[in-house]
Amino acid sequence: MSHYVGSSSGGARAAAVRMGSARGAGSRLLGFLSDAVARGATEALRSLNLGALAGRPIEEIFLGMSDYVCPDGGSIDEGIAREAFIETIADLAAAGITELDGLSADQVQTVFELYATNAIEARLCNDIGMKIIILPADSREAAGVQAQLKDFILRAVSDALTTTSTAVAALTPDRVLQFVGGVYEQAFEILRTMGEGEAEGE
C-alpha cells in the first residue's frame, strides 16, 4: 500500500488526482446532501428536477440520482465512480440512514465517508486488475488482504475527515470540490503511513 501511494501513483496528491470522476461524483453528492440539510430534501430534489422522488426511501432517491451524481460516459474512470455510488447505496441501511428528510450533519459525513471509501477501494481493485498492485496467488489469502484493505481505507478516510475542521454539511458549492480532493489526498497519505507501519511490524 505504501509503495502504491509513494511510487506507483507518484505520491498522495497524484493518487488523489487519479480519482478523477470519483472526485466530481463525491462533490456532487456532498453538495446535494448539504443542500438537503440547508433547504430540505424536497427543495434540493426539485433543484435537480427530481421532485417526484421526495418522500421516498433514501435508497430509491439515490438510485434516481445516479445519472446526476455519476454521469455515464463509458470510461473506466466513470465506471469506478458509479460502482462506488451503487456500493454506497447498498451500505446506507447498515449505517442506519433510511430517510433523506431530517438528515443530520453527522449522517451527511457518514454518507460521504462511505462513498469516498468505496471509491478508493474501487480504484485500487481496478489497479489490482491492471497488475499495478499484486495480490497473493492463494485465493483465501487474497480475500483476507482485500478485507484488510477495505478496513485500512475506511480508517484512512475517517481519519482524513476528522483532521479537517470544516463542517461538511456547511460547505459552499465552490469549496466542495476542493474539500473532496483534499480528503482523498489526506486519505492516501494516511494509507501510505499505515502501510509503512504494517510493513515494519512484520
Side-chain angles (χ1 to χ4, degrees):
M1 191 68 253
S2 60
H3 181 271
Y4 171 80
V5 176
S7 299
S8 299
S9 294
R13 178 169 294 181
V17 170
R18 287 189 70 233
M19 294 303 295
S21 295
R23 293 175 67 191
S27 301
R28 286 186 288 275
L29 174 61
L30 189 53
F32 169 79
L33 294 174
S34 299
D35 191 26
V37 170
R39 297 195 298 146
T42 300
E43 288 304 313
L45 286 166
R46 281 177 180 161
S47 71
L48 303 181
N49 295 318
L50 295 172
L53 292 173
R56 306 298 301 168
I58 197 167
E59 290 91 349
E60 290 185 31
I61 292 173
F62 274 28
L63 282 171
M65 290 172 50
S66 294
D67 288 338
Y68 164 72
V69 175
C70 308
D72 189 4
S75 71
I76 291 175
D77 195 43
E78 288 155 339
I80 287 171
R82 184 172 285 260
E83 176 188 339
F85 187 59
I86 298 302
E87 286 293 323
T88 301
I89 296 171
D91 291 339
L92 291 174
I97 301 172
T98 58
E99 301 291 337
L100 187 60
D101 287 304
L103 202 65
S104 70
D106 284 345
Q107 287 176 318
V108 169
Q109 182 160 320
T110 296
V111 174
F112 175 70
E113 186 176 298
L114 290 171
Y115 179 76
T117 298
N118 288 327
I120 292 173
E121 183 183 24
R123 174 84 262 174
L124 295 182
C125 285
N126 178 76
D127 287 349
I128 287 169
M130 299 293 290
K131 306 299 184 184
I132 296 174
I133 302 173
I134 306 299
L135 283 178
D138 182 89
S139 60
R140 286 177 297 180
E141 189 178 350
V145 170
Q146 194 162 351
Q148 185 184 33
L149 184 61
K150 174 97 174 185
D151 181 59
F152 262 39
I153 295 167
L154 182 59
R155 284 164 51 198
V157 171
S158 179
D159 287 352
L161 284 167
T162 299
T163 59
T164 178
S165 59
T166 305
V168 174
L171 284 166
T172 56
D174 60 328
R175 292 192 59 211
V176 170
L177 184 59
Q178 180 182 1
F179 172 81
V180 170
V183 169
Y184 281 131
E185 183 176 341
Q186 288 183 57
F188 276 115
E189 182 58 32
I190 292 167
L191 277 171
R192 184 189 64 77
T193 303
M194 288 196 302
E196 288 177 350
E198 288 288 317
E200 289 172 1
E202 291 177 355

